């Protein structure tokens, strides 16, 4: 309480105000503009922090990598959302070249070449067969489906195990033509 009274009556030592200079002494009173003119901008800038710049570069690179990974997974999540909601979208739009239906999931082919297999932490495929159920016997890169210039679809087996196309085995390195309603 005593400090508050002392402060109220300006009795504290840090509350003393210096008297203003008198005009007859020729001392100039500085205003804000005068003080701003005396400040040198280059003295205010911190030197570049190389560690911080390096860390920011690494964080930026990791963020971009994560964005690319998430963009690659968007189609998978769209499939899962359609499966959960039970409201499928139209099979074909102006970007869809073919539709592949699994037991649980529907895959839209939107590029001229897609990879089929099992997604892992290291390898990402366009058609992830592990979404259909246990896929331990499916290679990470099992097959490639291509749309040729003539408008035909072909499947090339790149996995160790054969791919069955309408009941016929397509072994590693072989190619088979895919017709409408082909069972793979």
């Amino acid at each position: 309480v005593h400090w508050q009274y002392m402060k109220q009556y300006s009795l504290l030592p840090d509350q003393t105000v210096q008297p203003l200079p008198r005009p007859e002494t020729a001392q100039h009173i500085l205003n804000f503009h005068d003080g701003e003119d005396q400040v040198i901008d280059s003295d205010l800038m911190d030197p570049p922090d190389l560690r911080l710049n390096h860390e920011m570069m690494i964080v930026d690179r990791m963020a971009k990598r994560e964005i690319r990974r998430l963009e690659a997974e968007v189609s998978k999540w769209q499939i899962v959302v359609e499966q959960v909601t039970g409201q499928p979208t139209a099979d074909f739009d102006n970007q869809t070249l073919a539709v592949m239906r699994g037991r649980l999931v529907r895959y839209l082919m939107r590029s001229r070449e897609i990879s089929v297999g099992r997604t892992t932490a290291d390898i990402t495929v366009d058609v992830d067969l592990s979404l259909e159920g246990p896929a331990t016997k499916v290679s990470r890169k099992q097959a490639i489906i291509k749309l040729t210039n003539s408008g035909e679809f072909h499947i090339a087996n790149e996995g160790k195990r054969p791919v069955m196309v309408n009941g016929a085995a397509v072994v590693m390195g072989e190619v088979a033509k895919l017709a409408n309603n082909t069972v793979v």
Side-chain angles (χ1 to χ4, degrees):
V1 175
H2 300 296
W3 288 103
Q4 292 174 345
Y5 285 128
M6 290 178 73
K7 184 177 179 182
Q8 180 180 356
Y9 294 108
S10 301
L11 298 175
L12 296 174
D14 63 341
Q15 288 183 307
T16 58
V17 178
Q18 300 294 326
L20 289 174
R22 296 187 180 142
E24 59 266 8
T25 61
Q27 287 183 328
H28 178 67
I29 300 174
L30 289 178
N31 59 24
F32 182 74
H33 181 69
D34 295 334
E36 193 175 48
D37 286 342
Q38 292 179 357
V39 174
I40 301 170
D41 290 338
S42 62
D43 291 345
L44 297 176
M45 298 184 120
D46 291 331
D49 187 351
L50 298 178
R51 286 184 183 171
L52 178 64
N53 289 345
H54 181 69
E55 188 174 335
M56 292 297 289
M57 183 180 68
I58 291 172
V59 168
D60 185 51
R61 190 179 306 147
M62 288 173 28
K64 288 178 182 176
R65 189 176 298 141
E66 180 70 10
I67 289 170
R68 283 193 298 270
R69 186 186 68 76
L70 290 173
E71 285 175 345
E73 288 184 1
V74 166
S75 61
K76 293 177 193 172
W77 289 109
Q78 179 183 4
I79 291 166
V80 172
V81 168
E82 288 174 3
Q83 179 184 358
V84 170
T85 61
Q87 298 178 355
T89 58
D91 281 349
F92 282 97
D93 57 11
N94 58 352
Q95 296 176 350
T96 304
L97 301 172
V99 177
M100 293 164 283
R101 295 184 192 274
R103 285 180 287 147
L104 302 173
V105 184
R106 181 175 55 101
Y107 303 95
L108 303 178
M109 183 172 175
R110 292 192 168 159
S111 63
R112 294 183 67 85
E113 181 177 313
I114 60 171
S115 58
V116 179
R118 177 173 42 93
T119 298
T120 63
D122 301 333
I123 296 176
T124 303
V125 292
D126 299 314
V127 176
D128 184 7
L129 296 178
S130 64
L131 295 174
E132 291 290 329
T136 56
K137 295 185 179 184
V138 175
S139 296
R140 288 180 288 261
K141 285 212 160 194
Q142 183 67 53
I144 299 289
I145 298 177
K146 291 183 183 180
L147 174 62
T148 63
N149 291 335
S150 62
E152 295 177 335
F153 289 94
H154 292 255
I155 186 167
N157 186 0
E158 294 187 347
K160 293 178 184 175
R161 297 181 183 266
V163 173
M164 302 303 285
V165 178
N166 285 335
V170 178
V171 295
M172 183 175 168
E174 287 188 359
V175 178
K177 182 180 172 184
L178 299 176
N180 191 24
N181 292 323
T182 298
V183 177
V184 179

